[in-house]
Amino acid sequence: MSLSYAVASKAKDYFQLMKFNLTFMVVFSCVVGYLLVPGVEFNLVKVLLLFAGGLLVSGSANTINQVWEKNTDKLMARTANRPLPAGRLSETEASVVAVVTGLAGIGIMAYSFNWLSAILSLISLVLYGFVYTPWKKWNSLAVLVGAIPGALPPLIGWAAGANQLSEGGWSLFAIQFLWQFPHFWAIAWIAHQDYTKAGFKLLPAAGGPNKMTALQSATYALLLIPAGLAPYLLKISGSISAIICILAGIFYLYRAVTLYRKCDVPAARKLMFGSYIYLVIVQLALLADKV
């Protein structure tokens, strides 16, 4: 095996450990939160620093998650080939990666922005890595707990730009918080057998995927429609983005109602992909229509 191949393989394992594909979307919402702060102009250096800090903190949280779940990951087809269960990386190596990336990310937030954004980043990391992750085996309230660090990125971005937790930041937090329930339950619906094998309790209703889970998904999607108007009412973004947020919310609700009607994996998959479409459209619309 050549040295370059060995280095590339190791780098690939680190990327997989930190879940960079998933992390990118998380960090994008952090940058959107930052750029929506009144008076904050686009600055490439600042945006790149925010990306770096966010990637490192999220990567650290994801690594902690995989250290916790090394043995359960072995039981699930979609996670069995991750670096830890496959034996390509040791727990010690992964723990070092988690500490180094976590400290580096929080350091970037504190030095390049402010201590408020750094403290929020630390809270997000701890909640995801040490509260949500083990909770998944206890009961389905784990999804509620996990929705907090999942919704913190836009608030962290807002704090990085404004150095305070004002209404605008909380409105972005609320959108991302409510968005996660249909999104995550759709994933849990699709991967129900795998999750059950691993002992994870993630669906809100007893007895696995059913109409009660779909109904709760639709309820949160419905709540997103008025929540999507908050940035307009707070004069962060204009009327065009408000209309787009309403239409995107109706689309997301339609996908959730379809899951309620059909109660099958194809409908859950459509809801999952619909959730990504919703979040990207809403965040880009808010940014493009910033007041």
Side-chain angles (χ1 to χ4, degrees):
M1 187 191 292
S2 69
L3 179 63
S4 58
Y5 179 80
V7 170
S9 295
K10 185 67 79 174
K12 185 183 175 186
D13 283 336
Y14 285 155
F15 270 67
Q16 209 176 340
L17 194 65
M18 298 172 75
K19 297 185 192 171
F20 267 125
N21 293 346
L22 173 69
T23 300
F24 184 85
M25 191 169 179
V26 171
V27 177
F28 178 74
S29 65
C30 183
V31 171
V32 169
Y34 171 75
L35 292 174
L36 280 172
V37 175
V40 169
E41 299 293 330
F42 181 85
N43 179 308
L44 183 60
V45 174
K46 284 284 190 183
V47 167
L48 290 175
L49 283 166
L50 194 56
F51 247 101
L55 282 171
L56 289 165
V57 172
S58 295
S60 175
N62 289 327
T63 301
I64 293 164
N65 172 274
Q66 288 188 60
V67 171
W68 270 103
E69 296 179 354
K70 176 188 169 184
N71 293 325
T72 47
D73 278 350
K74 287 178 183 176
L75 305 173
M76 297 190 287
R78 65 187 192 86
T79 55
N81 197 41
R82 283 177 175 174
L84 284 168
R88 296 193 303 274
L89 292 178
S90 68
E91 275 189 52
T92 304
E93 197 173 354
S95 300
V96 169
V97 169
V99 171
V100 170
T101 53
L103 289 174
I106 291 164
I108 287 171
M109 297 304 294
Y111 182 77
S112 304
F113 298 96
N114 49 58
W115 278 104
L116 179 60
S117 62
I119 290 165
L120 286 175
S121 298
L122 176 61
I123 290 169
S124 175
L125 191 158
V126 170
L127 278 176
Y128 185 86
F130 297 103
V131 182
Y132 162 71
T133 297
W135 201 313
K136 284 155 72 176
K137 289 217 162 190
W138 304 336
N139 58 49
S140 61
L141 280 175
V143 176
L144 176 65
V145 174
I148 298 169
L152 277 174
L155 187 61
I156 292 168
W158 184 277
N163 199 18
Q164 61 176 327
L165 299 179
S166 43
E167 295 91 341
W170 286 114
S171 72
L172 301 175
F173 173 90
I175 290 169
Q176 197 145 316
F177 180 80
L178 294 169
W179 166 84
Q180 285 179 89
F181 292 91
H183 165 75
F184 197 83
W185 287 331
I187 294 171
W189 189 302
I190 296 161
H192 177 63
Q193 287 184 324
D194 250 4
Y195 282 151
T196 303
K197 249 189 278 180
F200 293 144
K201 299 173 175 70
L202 296 167
L203 289 172
N210 55 33
K211 278 198 178 291
M212 186 53 71
T213 294
L215 180 63
Q216 291 191 55
S217 296
T219 302
Y220 279 98
L222 179 64
L223 289 171
L224 259 181
I225 297 173
L229 284 173
Y232 166 70
L233 297 173
L234 292 167
K235 297 181 172 57
I236 296 164
S237 57
S239 56
I240 294 170
S241 62
I243 293 164
I244 292 170
C245 286
I246 290 169
L247 293 174
I250 291 167
F251 161 76
Y252 197 22
L253 177 61
Y254 168 74
R255 286 280 170 97
V257 169
T258 302
L259 178 62
Y260 179 78
R261 281 177 43 241
K262 296 189 173 177
C263 274
D264 60 12
V265 169
R269 191 169 280 111
K270 283 185 176 178
L271 177 58
M272 181 189 73
F273 285 120
S275 70
Y276 293 122
I277 293 166
Y278 170 87
L279 196 62
V280 170
I281 286 174
V282 164
Q283 291 183 340
L284 288 177
L286 293 173
L287 203 52
D289 200 27
K290 179 182 175 181
V291 172

